[in-house]
């Protein structure tokens, strides 16, 4: 039986080629994902480990998470503590570290890096071991900085150039005094690093004489553990804590691994989808292969082979095919991983240098997935063939499925589909994240149920195309009959395409609906023409609001300030606004009282009011972050949205109680003439064309969010293209094997007068009908899932509304039709070139 199975594999190489390709693509996606994520993760981990070479023990200030300070206050590291750390036995040196956000502009005036990746810090003394200089000298005074070599290369800066940058609002224009090397992960990821002298950095980022961290280097012969124990003896336990450099590197590696795990999971989900689609094709292929060899298998049974031996021979064939495809897929996956890494560089996302990582786990996973998927897909056809009695197989009385089996299949499919619909509908009544798991379960049940029912659905849906097919005469009639002749085969072929289009359509519906909701939210909640904020989301200097208010044409401004507080033993964040102007800058739906903010009067969103049992007129006591207490009155209750929520009070009431002085998260601006390019230009010029500050109108806010959705959607389209390619192979495979199976029939059609063009047209129309059938099912399911997911989002987003992208759905249907036409090119040509006499004599 082993020799028979191997002989069958090598005897039907052309038949199995498409199956090998389907498995190969799925395995390539899985192994490529693992190679890519392992390579990037390894590069970042090695780069981050280098960054701790100069740190044997770090002293870090304790914050709210480590103490009983519920308002988030952080202890400070001072010069006396630094001197103590430098003097402990076993310490070679100690460096005070200062860091914070520093937006650096390129020569084109635009921000370098991704906002949060634009960092600043201090250069310690004249020779900082953390940052070896490659050119120039250490920075001194407020007029000099040192920049990293990678930023200097990307932006074209050199020693002596003037750089525009900003820390907390005001624009600085220091001279580049030096260029240094660094293994900082943010720089490796495309960000920038600007270093001031220590005194300047302290003044810009915090306050004089304080540090964010103290890094201590051990003397030769002193271990990190021994140095940490010595430091623990002098570091006040209620002020700071110590951690070894090795632990810092391990923690960083763990964080990088956790960050990469999300990407890896997402990519593997799509790899799984490609494999899931490929499973249908493999099962379909082996079903046809086994059907074509039924008499051969029956003869084996007649001469003594058992059912188990027949099933085993089919599984051996599947094992050989799966092993070959898995090896090819692994090789292709390594290439995909390398290409994806190169693509990141092309898209502007730089990563640290490092070798391509092909771990033993990746190799094992690729081989295991390829072989197991193929054998599982082939098991059912092989088992089904082995159960057919030899005499029945030789006389072909087994060809049609029994009524009992069809009724059973349709009953199971109907139950699964009904259960899936019921679970999805139930999930839409739940709140946000609570409904995600039930909805996922319902979606899986519904897709499986529709797949099981597809043979039943194929007849009425394909029959609906009969009037159009009649236009093509006898070729159209034959194409329709061939499409429904074997409903199971048609179903398996169409289902592969259905799954890909279901996911693409569902995501498109969600993305379009979300974008519409965001546009609606921005236009309905905000009457301000502009919102000004920092590029990295940090706070703005109060000077920003004063400068904006002085611009010609500006009628109203209001800063938004956030501050923690304690109310009813809970931490609540307060939002400070300019009470006299906020009504002209926002348009919130007030459900109780009035939207009047001033003195001790506040407005509260309905969720917060409900959690505390407040209503218009309620009074409550608040404890500010400076420890002061005050009684406030609820003037009104409003409906929150994603842009504005929480307890809103007047800045005149809040600001005196903010530790470290007032700082603004955003500034809302209303102008006399409304938003325009000229007004925006005036506002930006008033802020000194600051690279750290964003001036956005409603459309900019909406476009910024839309850009994220578009980027994500395009990435998902690219990933799902793999599933569609696998589905195309399935259509080609089915048609090619169908042509082989119907060789005698095609020969008879040629003999009674159907020309080669008619044969080609018949095969192409059959492919088109099957592809459109899968497309219609996929788009229908995608719209349903998009609507259901939108209902979940609607529970969190009051402005959500369903938007059906009719244009894109028509494009997806056209894509399905194109798949059908292209997939039929080779099988149609092959059918037309069959020798009619040879075909008539074939079995």
């Amino acid at each position: 039986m082993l020799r028979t199975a191997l002989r069958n594999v090598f005897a039907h190489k052309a038949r199995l080629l498409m199956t090998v390709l389907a498995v190969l693509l799925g395995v390539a996606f899985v192994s490529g994902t693992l190679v890519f994520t392992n390579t990037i993760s390894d590069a970042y981990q090695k780069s981050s480990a280098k960054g701790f070479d100069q740190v044997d023990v770090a002293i870090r200030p304790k914050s709210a998470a480590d103490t009983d300070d519920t308002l988030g206050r952080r202890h400070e590291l001072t010069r006396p503590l630094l001197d103590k750390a430098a003097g402990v036995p076993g310490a070679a040196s100690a460096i005070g570290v200062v860091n914070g956000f520093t937006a650096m502009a390129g020569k084109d005036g635009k921000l370098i890096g991704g906002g949060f990746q634009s960092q600043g810090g201090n250069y310690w003394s004249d020779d900082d071991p953390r940052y070896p200089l490659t050119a120039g000298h250490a920075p001194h005074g407020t007029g000099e900085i040192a920049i990293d070599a990678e930023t200097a290369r990307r932006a074209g800066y050199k020693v002596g150039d003037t750089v525009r940058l900003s820390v907390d609002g005001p624009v600085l224009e220091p001279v580049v005094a030096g260029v240094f090397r660094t293994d900082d992960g943010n720089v490796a990821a495309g960000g920038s690093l600007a270093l001031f002298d220590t005194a300047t950095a302290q003044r810009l980022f915090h306050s004089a004489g304080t540090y964010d961290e103290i890094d201590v280097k051990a003397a030769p012969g002193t271990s990190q553990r021994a140095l940490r124990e010595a430091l623990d003896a002098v570091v006040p336990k209620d002020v700071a804590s110590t951690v070894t450099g090795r632990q810092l590197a391990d923690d960083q590696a763990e964080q990088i691994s956790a960050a990469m795990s999300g990407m890896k999971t997402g990519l593997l989900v799509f790899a799984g989808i490609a494999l899931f689609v490929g499973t249908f094709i493999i099962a379909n292929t082996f079903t046809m292969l086994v059907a074509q060899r039924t008499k051969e298998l029956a003869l084996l049974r007649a001469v003594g082979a058992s059912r188990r031996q027949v099933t085993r021979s089919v599984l051996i064939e599947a094992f050989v095919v799966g092993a070959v495809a898995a090896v090819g897929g692994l090789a292709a996956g390594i290439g995909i991983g390398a290409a994806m890494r190169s693509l990141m560089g092309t898209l502007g996302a730089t990563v640290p240098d490092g070798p391509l990582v092909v771990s033993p786990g990746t190799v094992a996973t690729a081989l295991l997935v390829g072989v197991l998927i193929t054998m599982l897909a082939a098991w059912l056809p092989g088992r089904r063939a082995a159960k057919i009695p030899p005499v029945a197989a030789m006389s072909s009385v087994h060809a049609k499925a029994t009524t009992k089996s069809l009724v059973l299949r349709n009953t199971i499919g109907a139950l699964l589909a009904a259960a899936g619909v019921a679970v999805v509908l139930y999930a839409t009544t739940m709140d946000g994240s609570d409904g995600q798991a039930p909805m996922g379960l319902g979606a899986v049940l519904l897709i499986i149920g529709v797949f099981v029912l597809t043979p039943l659905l194929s007849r009425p849906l394909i029959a609906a195309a009969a009037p159009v097919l009649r236009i093509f005469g006898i070729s159209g009639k034959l194409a329709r009959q061939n499409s429904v002749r074997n409903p199971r085969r048609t179903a398996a072929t169409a289902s592969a395409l259905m799954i890909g289009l279901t996911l693409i359509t569902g995501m498109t519906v969600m993305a379009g609906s979300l974008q519409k909701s965001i546009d609606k939210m921005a236009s309905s909640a905000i009457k301000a023409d502009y919102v000004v904020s920092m590029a990295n989301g940090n706070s703005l200097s109060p000077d920003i609001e004063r400068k904006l208010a002085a611009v010609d044409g500006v009628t109203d401004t209001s800063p938004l300030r956030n501050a923690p507080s304690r109310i009813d033993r809970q931490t609540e964040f307060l939002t400070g606004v300019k009470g006299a102007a906020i009504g002209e800058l926002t348009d919130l739906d007030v459900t109780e009282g009035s939207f009047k903010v001033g003195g001790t009067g506040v407005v509260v969103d309905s969720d917060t009011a409900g959690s505390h049992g407040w209503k218009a007129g309620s009074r409550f006591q608040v404890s500010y972050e400076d420890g002061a207490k005050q009684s406030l009155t609820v003037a009104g209750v409003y409906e929150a949205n994603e842009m504005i929520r929480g307890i809103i009070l007047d800045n005149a009431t809040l600001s005196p109680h903010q530790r470290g002085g007032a700082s603004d998260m955003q500034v809302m601006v209303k102008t006399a003439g409304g938003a325009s390019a000229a007004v925006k230009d005036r506002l930006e010029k008033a802020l000194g064309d600051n690279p750290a500050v964003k001036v956005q109108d409603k459309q900019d806010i909406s476009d910024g969010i839309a850009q994220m959705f578009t980027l994500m959607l395009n990435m998902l389209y690219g990933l799902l293209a793999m599933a569609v390619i696998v589905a195309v192979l399935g259509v080609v495979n089915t048609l090619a094997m169908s042509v082989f199976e119907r060789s005698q029939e095609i020969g008879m059609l040629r003999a009674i007068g159907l020309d080669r063009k008619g044969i080609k047209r018949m095969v192409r129309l059959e492919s088109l009908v099957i592809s459109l059938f899968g497309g219609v099912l996929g788009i229908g399911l995608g719209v349903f899932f998009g609507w259901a997911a939108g209902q979940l989002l609607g529970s969190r987003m009051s402005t959500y509304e369903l938007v059906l992208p009719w244009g894109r759905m028509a494009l997806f249907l056209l894509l399905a039709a194109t798949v059908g036409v292209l997939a039929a090119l080779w099988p149609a040509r092959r059918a037309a070139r069959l020798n009619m006499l040879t075909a008539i004599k074939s079995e």
Side-chain angles (χ1 to χ4, degrees):
M1 294 305 295
L2 176 62
R3 287 196 300 271
T4 301
L6 293 176
R7 189 162 47 246
N8 280 324
V9 171
F10 295 114
H12 305 298
K13 294 187 267 310
R15 299 190 205 176
L16 295 171
L17 177 62
M18 295 299 175
T19 304
V20 170
L21 284 175
V23 181
L24 186 148
L25 279 174
V27 172
F29 205 170
V30 171
S31 54
T33 294
L34 294 173
V35 168
F36 171 68
T37 52
N38 288 341
T39 297
I40 299 299
S41 180
D42 181 73
Y44 273 116
Q45 286 177 13
K46 287 181 178 176
S47 175
S48 66
K50 288 180 184 176
F52 295 110
D53 286 347
Q54 298 298 321
V55 184
D56 285 312
V57 178
I59 302 173
R60 293 180 163 181
K62 289 192 173 180
S63 62
D66 310 304
T67 66
D68 295 330
D69 189 344
T70 57
L71 295 177
R73 287 186 288 258
R74 193 178 79 152
H75 294 279
E76 295 179 339
L77 305 181
T78 60
R79 183 74 198 201
L81 181 58
L82 173 68
D83 294 337
K84 278 185 183 180
V88 301
S93 62
I95 294 175
V97 178
V98 183
N99 52 49
F101 171 68
T102 300
M104 189 190 310
K107 291 187 175 181
D108 58 358
K110 295 181 179 178
L111 179 68
I112 297 174
F116 70 94
Q117 294 173 336
S118 302
Q119 297 294 317
N122 67 313
Y123 194 91
W124 188 256
S125 187
D126 290 325
D127 185 18
D128 194 327
R130 301 171 300 167
Y131 307 113
L133 289 168
T134 61
H137 59 81
H140 295 288
T142 58
E144 292 185 345
I145 61 164
I147 63 174
D148 67 272
E150 186 61 25
T151 297
R153 183 190 65 80
R154 287 198 302 262
Y157 285 130
K158 60 183 183 298
V159 173
D161 286 346
T162 298
V163 178
R164 290 173 55 80
L165 54 83
S166 174
V167 173
D168 64 350
V171 176
L172 305 174
E173 294 189 344
V175 173
V176 177
V179 177
F180 59 87
R181 293 196 315 270
T182 179
D183 293 308
D184 186 279
N186 282 324
V187 173
S192 62
L193 181 61
L195 301 179
F196 307 86
D197 66 17
T198 300
T200 302
Q202 288 175 328
R203 181 176 58 80
L204 290 173
F205 298 128
H206 303 300
S207 57
T210 64
Y211 306 98
D212 292 292
E213 182 174 300
I214 296 173
D215 292 342
V216 186
K217 181 73 176 171
T222 302
S223 68
Q224 290 187 354
R225 182 176 178 181
L227 178 59
R228 182 183 180 185
E229 290 174 353
L231 287 168
D232 284 338
V234 300
V235 173
K237 291 182 173 53
D238 60 337
V239 172
S241 59
T242 59
V243 59
T244 63
R246 186 177 296 107
Q247 183 62 49
L248 288 173
D250 291 344
D251 291 345
Q252 185 85 342
E254 190 175 334
Q255 290 172 11
I256 291 170
S257 180
M260 294 300 297
S261 69
M263 180 191 292
K264 184 184 292 187
T265 301
L267 290 171
L268 285 175
V269 165
F270 288 97
I273 291 168
L275 282 172
F276 187 54
V277 172
T279 302
F280 291 133
I281 298 168
I282 299 164
N284 204 19
T285 301
F286 274 93
T287 299
M288 288 187 285
L289 285 173
V290 170
Q292 290 169 10
R293 289 168 40 213
T294 301
K295 289 186 179 181
E296 174 190 327
L297 296 175
L299 184 59
L300 288 173
R301 289 288 313 281
V303 297
S306 66
R307 288 182 180 181
R308 186 172 297 176
Q309 285 177 311
V310 170
T311 303
R312 193 182 301 142
S313 71
V314 175
L315 291 178
I316 291 170
E317 288 182 51
F319 174 82
V320 173
V321 171
V324 171
V327 171
L330 175 62
I334 294 172
I336 289 173
M340 288 175 74
R341 176 174 174 167
S342 300
L343 182 63
M344 287 187 71
T346 305
L347 295 174
T350 57
V351 295
D353 292 330
L356 202 65
V357 178
V358 184
S359 66
T362 299
V363 176
T365 300
L367 296 176
L368 196 63
V369 165
V371 172
L372 278 181
I373 288 291
T374 310
M375 291 185 70
L376 285 173
W379 175 74
L380 188 59
R383 184 172 176 272
R384 189 185 297 133
K387 290 175 67 176
I388 301 170
V391 176
M394 289 180 180
S395 59
S396 299
V397 298
H398 68 289
K400 293 184 179 179
T402 63
T403 303
K404 180 181 177 182
S405 68
L406 291 174
V407 170
L408 179 63
R409 178 184 179 118
N410 294 337
T411 302
I412 293 173
L415 290 173
L416 286 172
V421 171
V423 174
V424 169
L425 292 177
Y426 171 70
T428 61
T429 64
M430 302 176 72
D431 180 52
S433 57
D434 294 338
Q436 290 178 6
M439 184 164 290
L441 174 62
V444 171
L445 289 174
L446 179 54
I447 287 176
I448 295 173
V450 170
F451 170 69
V452 175
L453 283 174
T454 307
L456 178 66
L457 298 173
S458 64
R459 290 186 178 276
L461 288 177
I462 292 176
V468 178
L469 292 174
R470 287 197 191 101
I471 299 172
F472 299 96
I474 189 64
S475 295
K477 182 178 180 181
L478 289 171
R480 184 182 65 80
Q481 290 175 347
N482 289 334
S483 300
V484 296
R485 176 187 297 180
N486 191 331
R488 288 185 176 180
R489 181 190 302 168
T490 298
T493 306
S495 294
L497 192 59
M498 175 192 79
I499 293 170
L501 286 178
T502 295
L503 295 167
I504 291 174
T505 304
M507 288 187 300
T508 304
V509 169
M510 282 185 62
S513 301
L514 279 171
Q515 185 55 53
K516 178 72 173 178
S517 305
I518 290 162
D519 290 342
K520 187 176 177 182
M521 183 189 301
S523 61
S524 64
I526 300 176
K527 288 196 287 187
D529 296 312
Y530 295 96
V531 175
V532 180
S533 61
M534 288 287 279
N536 68 330
N538 280 359
S539 57
L540 293 161
S541 165
D543 289 338
I544 296 289
E545 193 261 340
R546 288 192 283 272
K547 290 178 180 178
L548 291 169
V551 174
D552 184 37
V554 172
T555 57
D556 287 297
T557 61
S558 174
L560 272 68
R561 297 174 183 168
N562 286 341
S565 71
R566 294 287 288 176
I567 301 172
D568 294 340
R569 297 183 180 179
Q570 297 179 24
T571 299
E572 294 278 5
F573 277 86
L574 307 173
T575 300
V577 299
K578 186 186 288 185
I582 193 64
E584 297 298 319
L585 298 167
T586 59
D587 188 18
L588 298 170
D589 183 16
V590 179
T591 57
E592 282 187 57
S594 61
F595 198 82
K596 290 183 180 179
V597 179
T600 59
V602 302
V603 292
V604 185
D605 72 90
S606 55
D607 290 340
T608 303
S611 66
H612 290 281
W614 297 336
K615 57 184 179 179
S618 296
R619 295 177 65 82
F620 61 92
Q621 190 174 66
V622 59
S623 295
Y624 296 108
E625 60 179 326
D626 66 349
K629 297 182 179 181
Q630 188 174 22
S631 181
L632 301 177
T633 303
V634 178
V637 179
Y638 68 93
E639 288 295 332
N641 56 50
E642 295 300 311
M643 304 186 77
I644 301 176
R645 62 176 59 246
I647 302 171
I648 300 176
L649 71 164
D650 195 7
N651 276 329
T653 306
L654 175 64
S655 299
H657 303 291
Q658 288 188 271
R659 294 184 76 251
S663 59
D664 305 330
M665 297 306 297
Q666 294 179 341
V667 178
M668 301 174 109
V669 181
K670 190 168 181 60
T671 59
S676 68
V679 173
K680 184 176 182 179
D681 189 54
R682 284 206 304 271
L683 295 175
E684 288 177 338
K685 277 185 167 42
L687 300 176
D689 290 321
N690 194 322
V693 181
K694 295 189 298 184
V695 179
Q696 296 178 295
D697 59 21
K698 294 177 187 177
Q699 192 59 49
D700 291 332
I701 295 171
S702 181
D703 289 345
I705 300 173
Q707 187 176 7
M708 291 190 296
F709 280 125
T710 303
L711 179 63
M712 288 177 59
L713 201 60
N714 288 339
M715 287 178 61
L716 294 175
Y717 282 164
L719 293 169
L720 285 172
M722 182 69 75
V724 175
I725 290 171
V726 175
V728 172
L729 287 175
V731 179
V732 175
N733 203 15
T734 299
L735 290 172
M737 300 193 73
S738 178
V739 167
F740 176 83
E741 192 178 76
R742 302 201 317 257
S743 296
Q744 189 178 54
E745 175 189 319
I746 292 170
M748 291 294 294
L749 290 171
R750 289 289 316 282
I752 61 176
L754 190 62
D755 59 10
R756 289 186 174 181
K757 286 185 178 179
I759 294 292
K760 284 184 180 180
R761 191 180 301 119
M762 176 188 73
V763 176
R764 288 171 183 164
L765 289 173
E766 180 182 348
S767 175
L768 182 63
V769 167
I770 291 173
S771 297
L772 285 175
F773 170 52
V776 169
L777 285 180
I779 292 171
L781 282 173
V783 170
F784 176 69
F785 289 140
W787 166 82
Q791 293 298 109
L792 275 185
L793 288 172
S795 66
R796 297 288 184 90
M797 188 180 291
S798 59
T799 56
Y800 184 86
E801 64 175 276
L802 180 68
V803 175
L804 294 180
W806 295 106
R808 289 207 175 188
M809 288 195 293
L811 187 64
F812 296 155
L813 201 59
L814 181 63
L815 172 66
T818 304
V819 165
V821 172
L822 294 177
L825 290 178
W826 177 63
R829 184 169 176 270
R830 186 170 181 271
R833 294 180 65 183
L834 284 174
N835 182 288
M836 67 177 75
L837 294 179
T838 304
I840 290 171
K841 288 190 295 181
S842 67
E843 294 185 4

